[in-house]
Amino acid sequence: MKIKQDLGGFAWSCRMCGGCCDTPQITKKDIANIAGHLRLSFKEVVDKYLSSFDGVYGEMKSVKGKCIFLKENRCSIYKVRPLICRLRPYSPQMKNGKLILTYDIWFKENCKGIYKGELPVEEEYLKYGELVVKYMGVEEPEE
C-alpha cells in the first residue's frame, strides 16, 4: 500500500532533545532486534525492559516518564530502535479513503522541531509508515 504525504504546511527537523522518547508500544520484531543487539534472549528483554507484553505487542518500561533506553537525551539502542520510534514525528492515517503520512497530533503541539514551512519527507519515513500500516493489518479500501 503506497502512502502519500499531507503535512499541512509544516516541516520538521529533529532537535535531538529526547522530548518524544516516551514509552513506545513495540512489536515482537522490535523485541527480537533489541535482544540481538543487546545479546540477550527474547525473554530477558521482555522481563528486563518491558512493562507489559501480550505475546504480540509490548510496552517499554519508563524511567521518569521516558523510555528506559534514553540515556542523556540519546537513544542507547538507536541502531535497532523500534519501528514506531523510527517513524516519529509522523503518523500514518486514513484520510478520505487514502493512506497518508502526516504529523502525529501530540508532536504537532509539543515537538520543538516542527515549524511552519515546506520540507519534503525523507523516503525512509514513507517506508516506515507503510511498514507500520502493514504490521497493523490495515488494508486499502476498495473503490
Side-chain angles (χ1 to χ4, degrees):
M1 178 182 293
K2 290 307 263 179
I3 194 167
K4 306 274 188 235
Q5 39 184 310
D6 181 3
L7 304 178
F10 288 90
W12 171 74
S13 179
C14 185
R15 302 289 185 239
M16 300 223 172
C17 67
C20 65
C21 298
D22 57 4
T23 54
Q25 188 176 52
I26 62 175
T27 66
K28 284 173 68 171
K29 183 172 180 162
D30 292 325
I31 298 166
N33 289 340
I34 294 167
H37 180 74
L38 298 177
R39 297 185 178 168
L40 297 172
S41 72
F42 187 95
K43 184 177 179 340
E44 286 174 305
V45 170
V46 169
D47 292 346
K48 188 172 182 177
Y49 296 108
L50 272 60
S51 59
S52 64
F53 180 62
D54 66 8
V56 178
Y57 298 103
E59 187 167 320
M60 293 281 200
K61 286 183 179 175
S62 68
V63 174
K64 297 181 182 174
K66 296 291 182 181
C67 177
I68 194 167
F69 289 108
L70 185 67
K71 311 287 185 213
E72 297 178 14
N73 281 346
R74 298 287 185 265
C75 179
S76 63
I77 58 165
Y78 188 81
K79 288 183 180 179
V80 296
R81 69 195 183 281
L83 180 60
I84 196 70
C85 299
R86 292 172 187 271
L87 186 58
R88 290 180 175 177
Y90 304 107
S91 173
Q93 298 176 14
M94 293 301 285
K95 185 175 181 181
N96 300 322
K98 302 281 186 207
L99 181 62
I100 62 155
L101 190 68
T102 189
Y103 290 110
D104 180 281
I105 293 292
W106 185 91
F107 286 94
K108 219 169 173 182
E109 295 172 357
N110 297 287
C111 179
K112 297 173 185 172
I114 291 184
Y115 58 93
K116 283 203 176 270
E118 296 294 327
L119 189 64
V121 175
E122 293 175 31
E123 194 64 34
E124 70 181 296
Y125 292 103
L126 297 172
K127 180 182 80 173
Y128 296 144
E130 290 171 0
L131 280 174
V132 165
V133 169
K134 178 181 171 186
Y135 290 153
M136 290 170 40
V138 176
E139 298 198 17
E140 200 162 8
E142 293 181 25
E143 298 197 32

